[in-house]
Amino acid sequence: MLHQSRILAAVVLIAVLTCTPLAIANNGDPMAVTKYQQDTQITDQVVTNDCNGEQVILNGTMHFDYFFAIDADGDRTHYDVTSTERLTGVGQTTGARYVSSEKFHENDITRFGQASDTRQTFKSRLVAQGPTPDLITRHVVRVIINRSGSIVVNIDKSTASCR
Amino acid sequence: MFHSSKLVAVLGTLLLAAAASAQNQPTTYIYDAYVDNQTTVNTCSAAENVNLNGTIRFSYQVTPDSSGVNHFAITAANNLTGVGQTTGANYTAAESNEYDANTPDSSKEMTVELSSDLNSQGASASMTLVQALHVTVDTNGSIAAEVVSNNTSCGGAN
């Protein structure tokens, strides 16, 4: 089941929706900024509550706002990613319902035009819509962005716990 | 106030962990940043200031692969107490997260978030604390880290 959820969650995002050139200064070194955003659907992703073994099916969206800035001589690239996760969940045994809305932010600086390749754990609270305790989900998410604006997101692992 | 707090955090003690016992295992480098009266605001009730104290332990390993890419694996773990400046409410937080980065460069600079439950030790509501952490590491074991910001939201574990 986890394997299935990984497959479903391993969403590859390449489309570019917006592109907004700007100009800012950083330490006196002008930078060119390009902004992008991307939505992707999370469909029937299954996580297991490790406190009681119940499977919870998640649906919703992950929204990515990201930009990168390149300094004038091109040796430093500043990547900025904000991810907003909005999910609903349904427990497959109890029928308990959950709602999650979390935002994550990360900056990464690379040199000489290298892509940003990072991985971290996104911790979210699935708020129960009733007497059931809340759940905490942890998604290990790898994000790769290059200077053409392409983004690849892969959820390497997802877990859920009551604490 | 907050600026000085950041400076205190930057001046935390740099510790070099003992080399891994196995010859092929990468060395773990450790740095303790001290959180000294950093202030966050309880955005859930009355906008009360909450003073934070404790440590954030940064540890990392770097492993090069055959293609010359360095894999940095950085862990940040906080151990904090908080005191509400109006109500006197007490809070604790203890959480960790790992941040990985792959780069051909010999150093890595990133700003990440560490989200932890700020657990009330009494009747006050718990919160979620999100700390923005600026971290720079290199292949020689040097590490610099600071807390850029502390923000709260409602909904921590009770």
Side-chain angles (χ1 to χ4, degrees):
Chain A
M1 192 59 74
L2 181 59
H3 179 67
Q4 178 188 5
S5 67
R6 286 185 186 176
I7 294 173
L8 290 171
V11 180
V12 178
L13 310 170
I14 299 180
V16 175
L17 297 185
T18 64
C19 178
T20 309
L22 300 171
I24 62 173
N26 183 12
N27 296 329
D29 199 1
M31 304 183 84
V33 179
T34 308
K35 291 184 176 180
Y36 303 87
Q37 55 182 244
Q38 175 66 51
D39 284 311
T40 189
Q41 299 295 316
I42 302 296
T43 305
D44 292 338
Q45 181 184 359
V46 180
V47 294
T48 301
N49 180 347
D50 66 9
C51 294
N52 61 13
E54 182 183 31
Q55 291 184 337
V56 177
I57 294 184
L58 302 177
N59 284 277
T61 60
M62 292 188 78
H63 176 81
F64 292 87
D65 289 297
Y66 60 102
F67 68 83
F68 60 89
I70 306 167
D71 66 0
D73 56 7
D75 66 343
R76 285 165 62 90
T77 306
H78 178 162
Y79 295 90
D80 185 294
V81 184
T82 301
S83 172
T84 305
E85 177 185 282
R86 292 187 177 89
L87 299 174
T88 61
V90 179
Q92 295 304 285
T93 303
T94 63
R97 296 184 176 276
Y98 304 90
V99 174
S100 173
S101 178
E102 296 281 356
K103 183 175 285 188
F104 311 94
H105 185 230
E106 179 187 61
N107 287 313
D108 184 31
I109 294 175
T110 69
R111 293 191 289 180
F112 309 115
Q114 294 294 328
S116 170
D117 181 355
T118 63
R119 184 174 65 175
Q120 65 173 293
T121 300
F122 290 172
K123 177 186 171 188
S124 305
R125 178 173 298 276
L126 279 174
V127 179
Q129 304 301 292
T132 307
D134 294 348
L135 286 179
I136 303 296
T137 60
R138 290 177 170 84
H139 302 293
V140 180
V141 181
R142 184 180 183 186
V143 179
I144 303 172
I145 304 173
N146 65 24
R147 293 210 306 189
S148 68
S150 296
I151 181 171
V152 177
V153 178
N154 190 67
I155 301 178
D156 292 344
K157 182 181 179 183
S158 293
T159 60
S161 175
C162 56
R163 55 186 176 272
Chain B
M1 171 72 77
F2 185 61
H3 179 68
S4 61
S5 299
K6 284 198 294 185
L7 292 177
V8 170
V10 173
L11 296 175
T13 305
L14 176 64
L15 301 173
L16 178 63
S21 56
Q23 189 172 6
N24 292 331
Q25 289 187 343
T27 301
T28 300
Y29 302 98
I30 298 174
Y31 170 83
D32 285 332
Y34 294 98
V35 176
D36 185 12
N37 280 323
Q38 294 191 11
T39 302
T40 188
V41 178
N42 179 349
T43 56
C44 296
S45 60
E48 179 186 31
N49 283 350
V50 177
N51 277 8
L52 300 172
N53 284 279
T55 58
I56 302 177
R57 168 157 290 195
F58 296 89
S59 59
Y60 79 98
Q61 296 179 334
V62 55
T63 308
D65 68 14
S66 57
S67 62
V69 172
N70 291 311
H71 174 74
F72 290 92
I74 306 165
T75 299
N78 65 13
N79 193 347
L80 303 173
T81 61
V83 178
Q85 296 303 288
T86 304
T87 63
N90 292 305
Y91 303 89
T92 61
E95 184 60 89
S96 66
N97 200 349
E98 180 174 319
Y99 313 92
D100 297 343
N102 299 317
T103 176
D105 299 334
S106 60
S107 65
K108 189 67 213 168
E109 179 182 0
M110 56 199 308
T111 302
V112 297
E113 290 182 340
L114 176 59
S115 176
S116 52
D117 289 333
L118 198 54
N119 293 309
S120 171
Q121 304 301 297
S124 301
S126 296
M127 296 174 281
T128 296
L129 172 67
V130 178
Q131 296 178 290
L133 309 174
H134 181 222
V135 185
T136 304
V137 295
D138 68 20
T139 55
N140 295 319
S142 296
I143 178 169
E146 64 174 329
V147 180
V148 179
S149 64
N150 296 289
N151 292 300
T152 65
S153 60
C154 303
N158 286 302

